Amino acid sequence: MRDYQRVADAVAAEIAAGRLRAGDRLPPQRRFARQHGIAASTAARVYQELARRGLTVGEVGRGTFVRATDGPAAVPALSDPPDRRVNLELNYPVVPEQAALLAGGLGGLLRPDVLDSALRPVAASGTPEARAAAAELLGRGGWRPRPERVLFAGNGRQAISAAVAALVPAGGRLGAEELTYPVLKAIAGRLGATVVPLAMDGDGVRPDAVEAAHRSGPLHAVYVQPTLHNPLSLTMPEARRAELADVLRRLDVPAIEDTVWAFLYGDTAPFAALAPERTVVVDSLSKRLAPGLTTGFAVAPEALAPAVEAAVRAGGWAPSRFALEAAVRWQSDGTVDTLVQAKRGEVERRQELVRRRLDGFAVRTDPRSCFCWWDLPPAWRADLFVAAAARHGIAVTPAAAFTADRHRAPNAVRLGLASPPLDTLTQALATLAALARSSPDELVAG
């Protein structure tokens, strides 16, 4: 093991043990080098390694801070010890009644003869019953996929992975909105694809940006989130969707449409309704039902389906038959519709909190969205705000996590609204608002 890795491991252990807490500032690199008996160049590599692992954030002229890390999704109060955290990075909608509703649909599945069948392996094509239920689940706005076009994966991320693997060869180029789902970048990196940022405006990705990117080097596919885009909460209007469909058709470029949040928006047809012959729709159960229910969907047109199915098989991303059988029951007995309606109501309540607590700030969101994008006041830089929030026991996500171009990160953070209890979210938003109104110099002085 190299020296910088050994030292980085030691610092990581300090963080894991709680001796270095979220928001604590590390010493300047030269002082750190003296303390650990290493060269200044090695100290620089240690700091780079800690940032790469997501353990620290840096601010030019201010220092390097321990970043908030994954932990409990919520805390009872902000006055609790700092290892009890409000996690506004995770974003899974949960309503109190969902466990009871989900349990009610599992009774028949637990009979020994039914369970024996449900525990057998299943291919990406699932079962006829699962395909029919999924087609019903995913249909909206007059669009309903043909059941035979539905494929399944273990979760939504695997469905995205299969679509990217099927459409973009190693070394190929994948267009994506300039602010995009962070996991897409990781997936593309593992598959050897280059993510090409596509400029956006208030209506979403710009068709002329797709054309310009394709001219500079052919795009093999474009990944888009037309409805409740994460992180901006934008929904692409019909005219923009039609323009984008025309451009992709003319350039002969397929699209991967991520509709994971669209269930909250209402009965609006997906982009695939305008370009059905070249769009792979990806979705999952986790947001509609519960985070532990990880069935993913990929609706692929006939010409692309064999490649997507082969990618699921080659990646080892096949679904769980038990999850498919459970989903069929929840769809047929109305549990899914009940939970979707409950979660829409919960989102409205949380958005009202945002309107009240962050009034006067530059916040972009949608009344139906589970997250909001906060353009920070000029005095604050995003990484420093993340570190300051962590000192108050609140984890938020900096804009850099969403940027397709790592050299251009807006001065903003995303707040996930779905996971904490309402009273905890109320306190967290009030604390963040007070923090944003203060001076960042107070953090440095502390």
Side-chain angles (χ1 to χ4, degrees):
M1 181 182 295
R2 298 177 180 178
D3 284 348
Y4 81 90
Q5 292 173 321
R6 175 180 53 77
V7 178
D9 286 345
V11 176
E14 293 283 299
I15 294 171
R19 290 185 287 273
L20 281 174
R21 302 182 304 185
D24 285 350
R25 184 171 49 175
L26 299 185
Q29 290 182 17
R30 290 189 179 278
R31 189 192 308 165
F32 182 92
R34 290 196 298 271
Q35 290 173 350
H36 290 267
I38 57 177
S41 59
T42 303
R45 295 198 69 181
V46 171
Y47 278 44
Q48 291 170 1
E49 177 66 9
L50 292 171
R52 187 190 66 80
R53 298 183 191 182
L55 297 176
T56 61
V57 292
E59 174 70 13
V60 176
R62 297 186 185 276
T64 298
F65 298 83
V66 177
R67 185 181 177 184
T69 54
D70 289 341
V75 301
L78 297 181
S79 58
D80 283 342
D83 61 334
R84 308 277 307 279
R85 298 170 52 250
V86 182
N87 197 325
L88 302 186
E89 293 185 302
L90 292 179
N91 204 29
Y92 287 99
V94 175
V95 291
E97 62 268 36
Q98 73 180 39
L101 285 169
L102 294 171
L106 291 178
L109 187 56
L110 299 181
R111 280 177 29 208
D113 57 328
V114 179
L115 185 59
D116 180 66
S117 174
L119 295 179
R120 295 174 184 173
V122 68
S125 56
T127 65
E129 297 79 11
R131 291 195 296 274
E136 186 67 28
L137 176 82
L138 299 172
R140 55 189 172 89
W143 175 84
R144 185 178 185 275
R146 290 164 53 191
E148 62 269 25
R149 297 272 69 85
V150 178
L151 298 169
F152 301 94
N155 55 46
R157 296 180 180 189
Q158 291 177 358
I160 295 172
S161 298
V164 173
L167 301 181
V168 185
R173 287 160 49 87
L174 173 65
E177 294 118 330
E178 59 188 343
L179 293 169
T180 192
Y181 179 38
V183 172
L184 176 75
K185 300 187 290 182
I187 288 170
R190 288 197 304 270
L191 295 173
T194 298
V195 175
V196 179
L198 304 174
M200 304 174 68
D201 59 20
D203 288 339
V205 66
R206 287 168 30 194
D208 65 315
V210 176
E211 290 192 274
H214 192 67
R215 282 196 302 269
S216 66
L219 296 175
H220 293 88
V222 170
Y223 170 91
V224 290
Q225 305 169 81
T227 305
L228 292 181
H229 170 274
N230 178 18
L232 296 179
S233 299
L234 295 174
T235 293
M236 195 181 291
E238 188 70 20
R240 173 59 59 84
R241 294 178 188 228
E243 290 178 56
L244 180 60
D246 288 343
V247 166
L248 293 180
R249 191 172 288 114
R250 179 158 39 84
L251 300 177
D252 194 24
V253 173
I256 301 169
E257 179 183 11
D258 190 338
T259 63
V260 70
W261 290 109
F263 76 95
L264 291 173
Y265 193 82
D267 201 29
T268 299
F271 174 76
L274 295 174
E277 80 288 355
R278 65 184 58 254
T279 304
V280 178
V281 176
V282 293
D283 208 322
S284 79
L285 281 180
S286 61
K287 310 297 186 185
R288 285 179 178 83
L289 299 183
L293 300 169
T294 59
T295 297
F297 309 103
V299 180
E302 185 174 3
L304 303 177
V308 176
E309 185 170 5
V312 172
R313 187 168 55 250
W317 299 322
S320 157
R321 186 171 187 140
F322 184 89
L324 293 187
E325 296 290 345
V328 169
R329 285 162 170 74
W330 289 322
Q331 176 67 14
S332 61
D333 69 9
T335 296
V336 174
D337 287 342
T338 300
L339 283 177
V340 165
Q341 292 305 318
K343 291 183 179 187
R344 288 176 179 173
E346 186 68 16
V347 166
E348 291 178 4
R349 289 186 283 275
R350 289 165 187 265
Q351 283 289 339
E352 180 59 31
L353 289 179
V354 171
R355 284 190 288 273
R356 293 203 311 265
R357 297 294 178 175
L358 300 185
D359 183 46
F361 291 106
V363 174
R364 287 184 272 178
T365 190
D366 183 285
R368 293 152 288 196
S369 177
C370 273
F371 39 86
C372 63
W373 183 256
W374 187 357
D375 292 304
L376 294 170
W380 283 95
R381 300 301 306 169
D383 282 352
L384 188 60
F385 188 82
V386 170
R391 282 196 168 186
H392 290 271
I394 306 170
V396 301
T397 311
F402 300 93
T403 54
D405 182 350
R406 62 187 181 87
H407 299 295
R408 297 181 59 189
N411 190 40
V413 294
R414 192 205 73 166
L415 307 182
L417 309 174
S419 297
L422 276 173
D423 58 345
T424 302
L425 180 63
T426 301
Q427 296 176 63
L429 293 175
T431 299
L432 293 175
L435 184 62
R437 292 187 181 102
S438 69
S439 167
D441 292 333
E442 296 174 19
L443 175 66
V444 177

